[in-house]
Amino acid sequence: MVFVRSISSLSKLRSQLVQRSNLANSVRWLQIQSSPELDLQSQLKEMIPEQQERLKKFRSEHGKVQIGNITVDMVIGGMRGMTGLLWETSLLDPDEGIRFRGLSIPECQKLLPTAVSGGEPLPEGLLWLLLTGKVPTNEQVDALSKELRSRATVPDYVYKAIDALPVTSHPMTQFTSGVMALQVNSEFQKAYEKGIPKSKYWEPTYEDSLNLIAQLPVVASYVYRRVYKDAKIIPLDDSLDYGANFSHMLGFDDPKMHELMRLYVTIHSDHEGGNVSAHTGHLVASALSDPYLSFAAALNGLAGPLHGLANQEVLLWIKSVVDECGENITTDQLKDYVWKTLNSGKVVPGYGHGVLRKTDPRYMCQREFALKHLPDDPLFQLVSKLYDVVPPILTQLGKVKNPWPNVDAHSGVLLNYFGLAEARYFTVLFGVSRSIGICSQLIWDRALGLPLERPKSVTMDWLENYCKKAA
Ligand code: NMX
Ligand code: MLT
């Protein structure tokens, strides 16, 4: 009886949140009408014809220019080094790391608006940058922050879809199911069914993308509260920005954790187009699947241990080191543990990369955050020790192309320090952030009219015959 009553009061609370947000939606439209320079969609509307013309002209003049040669190794070896995607929002250099619309992470930290003077960038600012290629003003970021809050209403059936799963199911499974349930409200699907012309596809894609980005922290927080806490929803706080609100809805209100979440969401957002999640999202979207369908597919790629799930694996692995050897582990003990992991046929999670050939700058900025806020944390000190111990061992293996740490090697110990210690949840955080990059590019995919993705595949017979003839 008590259980039924608490379910029904949860439902009432959710409905109140829906009503409050419908009102906020109307206010948003009034604000947008009166100040187009503060409205992201108006900015895009201005830019799109120019970019469409740029691509058309470029393709007609240079469409037949060759970029590199495809080798048998590339065909068999996961297409490494094969340039095959147009991705406007970011570009990855193997030595230097990611640049978002030309800006490195330290440059973003310097140039993008912040909530705290000298603090971490606001993810809303990065969203603006990825979509427009321009660094937004404080006022523009503030308007986008408000807009995202006004779009953050999650229908009751989304919670019910999640509730239908066992509470023990992996948080990524619950999160992706929530995203699939959000799809019911796809503006793109509705517009397509009504026969919207191709030239206008980007507009409902924009609506879906912003709604999705706005609603993901709410869904993700619910998954966290359901699995690890009391399943009570902490409502959005209208005075907080995107990153801080996410932290707040999860149940973490330390201002330093708010800063960490702003940094976390900013740096995990985009990593050019070829990574598994971004590429999957782009591929599925190329069939004109709407942003919800495409992003849910992307999340399923992110949930793999060689990709986004590595952040979970890293903290579990670090904790297994402590369990076996204690916190004051010596360098020799640590070396032995790394070898033991490798000799049992496992990878060292958080190390290596498909493109990067140096330490990931996303690792470095998290390290700087730790040096500033938690220098004495024993797990941070262990992460630092691993930075000395792991690369020479991976180099010694002789086959690892990049022995240096990636983004996932660091994120877990920071979250753990502020109390978010449930490693199985970490990839959900990555997923929320990755929506910003994938959806930004998806809007441009539609604006530029990019076609169905359909590369050619061949059989082993085909390859053998081809090579015989070529010899
Ligand atoms: N530990 C042990 N072996 C490794 C590692 C590692 N950290 N990294 C690469 N190798 C092995 C790899 O398994 C392969 O072995 P084999 O030939 O026996 O199959 C060999 O080294 C060559 O691999 P690479 O060409 O260096 O790496 P690849 O581009 O194939 O894979 C990763 C990249 C990221 C999948 C790989 O480095 C890895 O498994 N790292 C650990 C998992 C991880 O941290 N993933 C997160 C990546 C970042 N993200 O968020 O997505
Ligand atoms: C990512 O952020 O997507 C990862 O570093 C993997 C990649 O870039 O391939």
Side-chain angles (χ1 to χ4, degrees), residues 8 12 90 153 205 270 282 296 304 360 379 402 434 442 448 467:
S8 113
K12 259 187 224 142
S90 65
T153 308
T205 301
D270 206 27
H282 178 78
D360 193 333
L379 290 192
N402 176 41
R434 192 45 58 104
L442 176 45
L448 297 173
C467 291

Side-chain angles (χ1 to χ4, degrees), residues 103 345 362 368 383 387:
L103 297 183
R362 298 172 297 178
E368 275 151 28
V383 163
Y387 192 21

